[in-house]
Amino acid sequence: MAAAAGDGTVKPLQSAMKLANGAIELDTGNRPREAYTEYLRSIHYISQVLLEEVETTKGKTRLKPTMPAAAPIPQPAGRHRRVYSDEGGKLSPFLPPEIFQKLQGAESQSCKKELTPLEEASLQNQKLKAAYEARMARLDPSQAMQKTSLTLSLQRQMMENLVIAKAREETLQRKMEERRLRLQEAANRRFCSQVALTPEEREQRALYAAILEYEQDHDWPKHWKAKLKRNPGDLSLVTSLVSHLLSLPDHPIAQLLRRLQCSVYSALYPAVSRAAAPAPGCCPPTPNPGSRRLRPSQSLHCMLSPPEPSAAPRPQDSPPTPPLQPGPVGSPSPLGDTASGLPDKDSSFEDLEQFLGTSERQGRGRGVQPEPQLQQLKTAVEEIHNAVDRLLSLTLLAFEGLNTAASKDRCLACIEEPFFSPLWPLLLALYRSVHRAREAALSRSMELYRNAPPTAIGIPTKLLPQNPEAKGATGYPYCAAAQELGLLVLESCPQKKLECIVRTLRIICVCAEDYCPTPEATPQAGPPPIAAAAIGADDLLPILSFVVLRSGLPQLVSECAALEEFIHEGYLIGEEGYCLTSLQSALSYVELLPRGGLAK
């Protein structure tokens, strides 16, 4: 029995040591995120073993009621606050700001630092002392004179090393101070030090001086500046330069990026936590069977599952449903007051502006948000804009060759991707809490109309597949567009999300031309621009509304609201802005579809 008890004690100890060794190996291999997870897993395992020992010692009856059930896979989620992140009531963890800050700073701490002269002398003295001890161990006790000589020689060499190192360090500090003052003068000349500077300008001047100091110790900025001078219009150089710049954790601009990310995260986290906390006595939201839900993510941030093709039957297989038509004047409509705003299957959506104006007023009356929540969102948005502007202006200061319109836009796009990647899940959670009422209305419409045929949404029959069985068509019409739209939630950069919307509308145009080819249509390479497509806005909007219904993603409301805020103004007046506005119009239309229009 004693041997068995001993084996039972050794086995958990070996498992704990194995987990700790794995974490140490990951930490040594410069993988701080994975090491942090393994450390927490080993601590969780050790605590579970200790709790089981206490339970065995003091009796199961006293500890059983308060003991939490051990999870099959240890998760370090006990001390992290959790927030609601989807309409089904699923919980998804967000890291506390202090943990997020540690993870963001792990890269900069892991970079190798140069040893100072005193540190080098200390290492040399340690090697001398080790060699001295080895020689002393080989001498006989009778060789006292040699031992004394070795001791005196060691002391002399160690003292010489320290004196030389101290002199080198003083000289190096004096030169560094002279260089710092020289670079500070250059920064003052750049920022016109004779006028009073604001605190932001003083901080930017200090950062610019740090950049000049960095360039004194590294040669790669000079090479990149020469490349930009030789090829001023090459935008691929801009992309490579900014990506390389932000990948170096010791560069002042990369350090500023991490500081600004931590500042924005710290501002977003309490707002999202307060907004997502359920009110006392309230139950979590009930899951909606027709809406897409978040799946558990293996990453640190919540992630939406990619859209699968809908399992709904094809329109030709579903039972015939009469199109939604307005009732006669003076007779009550069984579909409610909003039924009169729906077009029939042959209408051209010409009354959409009036309909959207009415829906906007109704949406404002129904979805008024508390003022503190809106104010928190405005504050966070303003802070994000300021952070991106600071990063862009500092990059343009460091590399003057980027100060052209095209290079500036490309530089901004390259900065936004690494900046938004860790922040977008939390930012989207705040947007979703503000637009919760609109998302709920859109989710109800998606549930009610998920099996509706395209003609019931107003798509003309000429823009639907003709004889799809003969052509071997599978799925529902415009299925490829719905799948492409579902990929939007997997991106974490506003520019890439906007590109996904543009691709969705281009796929719609290509599908419409395949379903309804025109005799004068000529094949062209690549997808056609939206403005040059065969279908117009009157046909595009009902098709896009159908695609939105089949996507099953009510969070598109919040995604579009965030994109409208963070997309560069230059994109909003071109094809990208047209596509975003079309999607927002389709979302508003679907949101206010009549509730009694279709029966399951």
Side-chain angles (χ1 to χ4, degrees), residues 30-110:
N30 197 16
R31 297 165 63 186
R33 290 176 181 266
E34 293 88 343
Y36 172 75
T37 305
E38 288 299 320
Y39 280 131
L40 290 178
R41 186 171 295 173
S42 62
I43 292 171
H44 185 86
Y45 176 77
I46 293 170
S47 64
Q48 289 293 330
V49 173
L50 293 176
L51 284 173
E52 289 175 1
E53 288 184 2
V54 172
E55 178 184 347
T56 306
T57 305
K58 294 187 176 181
K60 297 181 179 179
T61 55
R62 292 170 54 190
L63 295 178
K64 271 281 184 181
T66 59
M67 271 280 293
I73 300 177
Q75 294 288 342
R79 61 187 293 271
H80 294 173
R81 299 182 65 182
R82 305 172 75 89
V83 298
Y84 287 104
S85 60
D86 75 327
E87 63 281 354
K90 280 265 190 181
L91 293 178
S92 178
F94 288 111
L95 292 176
E98 59 273 12
I99 303 298
F100 178 82
Q101 187 171 0
K102 288 180 181 179
L103 290 176
Q104 292 298 103
E107 292 183 3
S108 59
Q109 294 174 1
S110 63

Side-chain angles (χ1 to χ4, degrees), residues 220 224 228 236-246 399 402:
W220 67 264
W224 278 103
L228 289 174
S236 62
L237 275 180
V238 180
T239 303
S240 303
L241 169 59
V242 178
S243 300
H244 179 68
L245 171 67
L246 298 179
F399 297 91
L402 300 177

Side-chain angles (χ1 to χ4, degrees), residues 526-561:
I530 305 300
I535 60 173
D538 293 343
D539 295 323
L540 177 64
L541 284 171
I543 298 173
L544 189 54
S545 301
F546 176 75
V547 169
V548 167
L549 282 171
R550 290 305 179 104
S551 71
L553 294 169
Q555 58 264 38
L556 288 174
V557 171
S558 301
E559 295 273 9
C560 288

Side-chain angles (χ1 to χ4, degrees), residues 134 230 343 464:
R230 289 194 302 268
L464 294 175

Side-chain angles (χ1 to χ4, degrees), residues 335 338 440-442 444-445 448-449 590-598:
L335 306 181
T338 56
L442 184 61
R444 288 193 294 270
S445 294
L448 184 61
Y449 289 86
V590 172
E591 179 187 345
L592 291 172
L593 284 174
R595 298 293 173 253
L598 290 173

Side-chain angles (χ1 to χ4, degrees), residues 277-351:
C282 292
C283 299
T286 56
N288 191 338
S291 59
R292 189 173 303 283
R293 303 176 64 183
L294 299 181
R295 66 183 180 189
S297 174
Q298 301 298 324
S299 66
L300 294 175
H301 304 293
C302 64
M303 204 65 175
L304 288 163
S305 58
E308 303 88 1
S310 174
R314 296 197 300 268
Q316 58 269 20
D317 298 334
S318 58
T321 307
L324 301 174
Q325 298 181 0
V329 179
S331 61
S333 170
L335 306 181
D337 295 337
T338 56
S340 59
L342 269 174
D344 59 18
K345 64 179 180 179
D346 295 324
S347 68
S348 61
F349 261 61
E350 293 176 354
D351 57 344

Side-chain angles (χ1 to χ4, degrees), residues 116-385:
T116 63
L118 283 176
E119 290 172 343
E120 291 179 357
S122 176
L123 287 176
Q124 290 177 0
N125 288 344
Q126 289 177 11
K127 294 178 182 178
L128 287 174
K129 189 176 180 181
Y132 162 78
E133 290 174 352
R135 290 187 64 183
M136 291 289 286
R138 291 196 298 268
L139 294 177
D140 294 332
S142 59
Q143 298 174 318
M145 291 294 294
Q146 294 184 10
K147 289 184 177 181
T148 304
S149 176
L150 285 175
T151 303
L152 292 174
S153 176
L154 172 68
Q155 292 175 353
R156 178 182 57 80
Q157 289 180 356
M158 292 178 69
M159 185 61 66
E160 286 178 356
N161 287 341
L162 288 176
V163 170
I164 294 172
K166 190 173 183 182
R168 286 178 57 200
E169 183 129 349
E170 289 175 354
T171 304
L172 184 62
Q173 287 179 351
R174 186 175 67 254
K175 290 183 177 180
M176 292 291 290
E177 181 65 19
E178 292 173 358
R179 188 179 74 172
R180 188 189 67 79
L181 292 174
R182 186 174 66 254
L183 296 175
Q184 187 64 48
E185 289 177 2
N188 291 341
R189 287 194 299 270
R190 181 67 182 269
F191 282 84
C192 302
S193 59
Q194 65 269 18
V195 256
L197 298 178
T198 64
E200 293 79 9
E201 290 173 335
R202 283 197 295 270
E203 183 184 7
Q204 192 174 28
R205 183 178 63 182
L207 288 169
Y208 181 67
I211 291 173
L212 293 178
E213 190 171 352
Y214 179 90
E215 291 177 351
Q216 293 287 320
D217 300 328
H218 300 80
D219 292 332
W220 67 264
K222 300 175 185 176
H223 301 325
W224 278 103
K225 289 179 181 179
K227 289 181 182 179
L228 289 174
K229 193 173 182 179
R230 289 194 302 268
N231 305 284
D234 191 353
L235 295 182
S236 62
L237 275 180
V238 180
T239 303
S240 303
L241 169 59
V242 178
S243 300
H244 179 68
L245 171 67
L246 298 179
S247 67
L248 299 172
D250 56 338
H251 195 279
I253 296 180
Q255 293 174 351
L256 176 64
L257 170 68
R258 285 190 292 273
R259 287 200 304 272
L260 293 175
Q261 283 177 330
C262 293
S263 174
V264 172
Y265 193 96
S266 300
L268 287 173
Y269 182 81
V272 172
S273 301
R274 284 194 297 269
C282 292
C283 299
T286 56
N288 191 338
S291 59
R292 189 173 303 283
R293 303 176 64 183
L294 299 181
R295 66 183 180 189
S297 174
Q298 301 298 324
S299 66
L300 294 175
H301 304 293
C302 64
M303 204 65 175
L304 288 163
S305 58
E308 303 88 1
S310 174
R314 296 197 300 268
Q316 58 269 20
D317 298 334
S318 58
T321 307
L324 301 174
Q325 298 181 0
V329 179
S331 61
S333 170
L335 306 181
D337 295 337
T338 56
S340 59
L342 269 174
D344 59 18
K345 64 179 180 179
D346 295 324
S347 68
S348 61
F349 261 61
E350 293 176 354
D351 57 344
L352 185 65
E353 286 189 17
Q354 180 180 0
F355 173 79
L356 291 179
T358 306
S359 69
E360 185 177 353
R361 289 192 295 272
Q362 293 178 359
R364 283 200 300 266
R366 184 183 65 250
V368 176
Q369 296 297 324
E371 185 64 28
Q373 204 170 3
L374 287 174
Q375 187 58 41
Q376 288 168 352
L377 179 59
K378 290 178 182 177
T379 303
V381 167
E382 184 178 356
E383 186 172 356
I384 290 173
H385 282 307

